[in-house]
Amino acid sequence: MEKKLVVILCALDVILLGLSVFLYVGEDRTPPEIVFGEEAPVYREGMDEEELLSGVTAMDVKDGDVTDSLLIEKISGTGEGTVIVTYVARDEANNVGKISRTLEARRGADRNVE
């Protein structure tokens, strides 16, 4: 009787392992790709996020265009007349793509006043 129970438990373990592998392989783990337009904006202090997102798109292999999920994660000044802007995008499986780019920064008289 004990041998039969051990065989049943081993068979159950193999079935559960196979199911786990099947579910893992079918899972979407690829983050979206963020692509910049040809022309990079010049950063101005207090600039709207919409301006920084202009021309930036996010595409996912499974979900297609996920540009609506694009956000600015952070803007870091370098102290050398440039800033580093970090962009993030998320797909339906909650995979997050992240990329940074360096933009020229202008202050003072070059700043747009509305």
Side-chain angles (χ1 to χ4, degrees):
M1 179 71 176
E2 287 181 26
K3 236 180 187 183
K4 195 175 190 182
L5 183 60
V6 169
V7 170
I8 291 172
L9 289 176
C10 286
L12 188 58
D13 282 345
V14 169
I15 291 169
L16 290 175
L17 178 63
L19 180 61
S20 297
V21 168
F22 174 76
L23 291 174
Y24 180 79
V25 169
E27 195 174 285
D28 177 16
R29 292 181 304 279
T30 305
E33 181 181 357
I34 300 170
V35 179
F36 301 120
E38 291 183 24
E39 198 172 312
V42 174
Y43 179 78
R44 295 174 316 280
E45 198 171 322
M47 187 175 195
D48 286 338
E49 192 170 294
E50 285 182 26
E51 293 177 87
L52 291 171
L53 291 172
S54 178
V56 182
T57 59
M59 296 297 291
D60 184 63
V61 174
K62 187 173 180 184
D63 301 324
D65 187 355
V66 293
T67 302
D68 290 344
S69 72
L70 271 169
L71 297 171
I72 305 294
E73 182 180 63
K74 68 179 176 179
I75 301 170
S76 305
T78 64
E80 300 172 2
T82 59
V83 294
I84 299 171
V85 181
T86 304
Y87 298 82
V88 294
R90 182 180 56 85
D91 67 10
E92 292 293 324
N94 288 324
N95 297 309
V96 176
K98 182 188 280 194
I99 192 167
S100 296
R101 75 172 167 178
T102 303
L103 299 177
E104 179 184 345
R106 292 190 185 153
R107 292 191 181 134
D110 291 337
R111 188 173 170 200
N112 284 349
V113 178
E114 295 183 26

